[in-house]
Amino acid sequence: MASLMVVVVVLASRGGWMVVKLTQSHLLGLCLMRMIAAKGMDLLGGGWLRSPKELILLMLKPWRLLVLTTTTPRNSINSTFSAVVLRIHGKRARPKRSWKDLSVWQNLALAFQTLGVVYGDLGTSPLYVFTDVFSKVPIRSEVDVLGALSLVIYTIALIPLAKYVFVVLKANDNGEGGTFALYSLICRYAKVNMLPNRQPADENISSFRLKLPTPELERALNIKETLEKRSSLKTVLLLLVLTGTSMVIGDGILTPAMSVMSAVSGLQGEISGFGTSAVVVVSIIILLGIFNIQRFGTGKVGFMFAPVLALWFFSLGAIGIYNLVKHDISVLKALNPAYIYFFFKKNSSAAWSALGGCVLCITGAEAMFADLGHFSVQSIQIAFTCVVFPCLLLAYMGQASYLMKYPDSASRIFYDSVPGSLFWPVFVIATLAAMIASQAMISATFSCVKQAMALGCFPRLKIVHTSRKLMGQIYIPVINYFLMIMCIIVVSIFQRTTDIANAYGIAEVGVMIVSTTLVTLVMLLIWRTNLFLALCFPLVFGSIELIYLSAVLSKILEGGWLPLAFATFFLCVMYTWNYGSVLKYQSEVREKISMDFMLELGSTLGTVRVPGIGLLYNELVQGVPSIFGQFLLSLPAIHSTIVFVCIKYVPVPVVPQEERFLFRRVCPKDYHMFRCVARYGYKDVRKEGHHVFEQLLVDSLEKFLRREAQDLAIESNLNEYFDNASERSRDSGAAGGDGTDELRVPLMHDQRLEDPGSSISEETSSAFPSSVMSLDEDPSLEYELSALREAMDSGFTYLLAHGDVRAKKNSFFFKKLVINYFYAFLRKNCRAGAANMSVPHMNILQVGMTYMV
């Protein structure tokens, strides 16, 4: 069949990702596409994506020239055919570290370090678990001891081991874990973020790493579509995440109180006259010390954490073996889960109440996932399976063995089971372990609040960086003192660990239920998991956690109300802030200045343009914000170069520095107006000073101008090249050839390009004018660059809006109450925009504006 060959040439100097869209109209017969390129071109996913006739994705190694050829039936010569490059950019930045590349010894070293950071809370649970359990169920027979031990063994085996080690740790966000990491992962695959500021260019960030939709993921696509269409589901998902975060903050209050009091209570039986009041006073003194050293950071003492906790776990295992051998080794019968049935059959409702004490054996299990960003998955798995799990089992078995012989020692079982000569060394190690567990939970709370602030779910607060090398070590003064005051109040009011334990269990189980729900959604939406297996996860683990939740909720009147009160308070704060921020953003989008109005003003903007760069901070990712009109009305002149700066947090942990800024031109060239979106991940720390930020911004703007000029030049010259190619193909067709023979001869020989970095061969480069090769000679580009440098020399001015958000008069009463009072109170008392953006006060211009939402 006679055919016509259409050639599409794309010139580029870098490798990377490229999406090509083919548009056809009523082509008869089969349209064949061939790709002839330099070495190293690879086709992803077997070729076609979801729409086989429209999109094709290419993964390209560094090359210079890509030629796409198509063979079109000659009887369709009048139909249209075109190939359009939708997206092409450079190589993905290599991550700073890859946990998969670590050697065995490096993983073992990391596993040792995890003991001091991840497992402090979980490791201190033997201090209080059996004390709390047997405060509800008195020991009258061996069934009570064996049943409680069996419950503890299988709780640890099912939740931390089976759930977290083998499943949840794999649901990480580029190595980051925690509730917000799961939420950001879901936000990348589905547009469920309440703040509608997502841009297609965000998907080009190297850490975005989206899986492409394929026919095998039809179920996931249906779930994605459902989530994106229904705003109610987005709100439910957000509330679920905020609830989990609120529970984590509640843990930050209860963990120090519980751990420190449990360690100090060991002195009651050792020192005569050391009563409950003395325990409370000593605990408060230790807590004051813990919270007051937070501002110095943990870097100076952090190296001690792992050895101390390693010694602690060794002590647990050794004491457990000692008690097993000396007292009653028959407690190994508790490995038979039938004793759980016997335990409930004998004690009925009292056993159900004791279940709330058993859940304390897994306190801190969530830290295995929340602290994943500092370690590798393998290191956490190795540490738990090889050290933590066996040592905890030996500790609980040893305590049960001691109780079989001395059932009256249940109230202080841990210290009574320690050999007398080892009491003081073990007491010192236990106190240090409790302090380390408290420190780890406080640091996790700081990190959690910081992530919530980044995703627009928490009011802006002052963040202090306690380490120049480790950016993750932060200190939030307001949160620190709030936690300290709450801890002291909790210890002063409850005075006993058994009452605090009732509150502790609700917070722990609440976080676990949230993580189970989110991981199930990840399985259905992102992983290629069989539907049966995906549903088995919540059915098995969710059922267990709901059983525990029902047990701990029965203790609401005995202290369980405390974490619910904390969670409700923080949930209201976070949701109110997010709700008000979303309404404010939607108001800005509605009131933005139209392009027609900007074009009517002309390049002078209806005022005088003076040398300098004006950085107008706003939240819009596109369009001209309405606050710019207020500046034009209020100021007698405006800067020669205007940059609309938007600080945006994207749902990824870290954005590489070279991918930080995203520039777009606003209005024609002679306006000298640009939009800059500075993108940060939720783990990124904005620590650079304003001078560094200004220099990075200008450098990125220069690169944008050069790339823009290069793209325009290439587009112009490619159009010329295509016209010549079309004429040559018509001439060859008129000569009687069918055009198919040309496809057998490569348009670009493999040997023409010796390596990716070599220059284009003479034959290839002759097809393009020299202007493509030497863009620095472009006079318009040089003029714009010189104008930018002149404006930079004149200095920067920061244009900020002092906005007030008010509900419309026709709004519901509840909305007026939330926006006009609660949200207004949070905005008034949170960190100001200028301070939060590290803006110099001498260079600020502010105007007031009221947003009606």
Side-chain angles (χ1 to χ4, degrees), residues 626-645:
S626 56
I627 192 66
F628 184 60
Q630 297 291 327
F631 278 106
L632 291 179
L633 293 174
S634 304
L635 300 178
I638 200 71
H639 302 81
S640 59
T641 301
I642 297 293
V643 181
F644 300 113
V645 180

Side-chain angles (χ1 to χ4, degrees), residues 142 146 324 327-334 339 401 404:
E142 71 171 13
L146 295 177
L324 273 174
H327 299 296
D328 193 348
I329 201 170
S330 66
V331 295
L332 294 176
K333 292 186 297 184
Y339 281 97
S401 178
M404 293 285 278

Side-chain angles (χ1 to χ4, degrees), residues 63 66 282 290 302 458 616 670 687 797:
W63 45 271
L66 169 66
V282 173
I290 291 174
F458 206 93
L616 195 154
D670 55 345
K687 196 178 179 181
T797 302

Side-chain angles (χ1 to χ4, degrees), residues 614 616 640-645 663-667 669 671-676 701 704-705 708 784 788:
L616 195 154
S640 59
T641 301
I642 297 293
V643 181
F644 300 113
V645 180
F663 276 92
R664 292 289 182 272
R665 188 182 291 277
V666 181
C667 300
K669 275 190 175 184
Y671 280 63
H672 301 291
M673 295 172 60
F674 306 91
R675 168 159 301 286
C676 170
L701 180 55
F704 165 75
L705 293 175
E708 180 190 51
E784 198 159 15
L788 176 62

Side-chain angles (χ1 to χ4, degrees), residues 130-201:
F130 278 152
T131 299
D132 189 72
V133 169
F134 294 117
S135 68
K136 278 93 173 175
V137 178
I139 300 176
R140 295 190 178 92
S141 67
E142 71 171 13
V143 172
D144 298 322
V145 177
L146 295 177
L149 177 59
S150 188
L151 268 173
V152 169
I153 290 173
Y154 285 100
T155 300
I156 297 175
L158 286 173
I159 302 299
L161 183 63
K163 176 188 171 182
Y164 281 95
V165 170
F166 293 112
V167 181
V168 175
L169 285 178
K170 297 179 181 179
N172 60 81
D173 181 16
N174 294 334
E176 298 292 338
T179 305
F180 269 108
L182 287 173
Y183 182 60
S184 70
L185 189 62
I186 294 170
C187 286
R188 293 216 299 274
Y189 283 85
K191 298 177 181 178
V192 296
N193 197 334
M194 300 297 289
L195 198 64
N197 63 351
R198 179 164 169 175
Q199 297 172 281

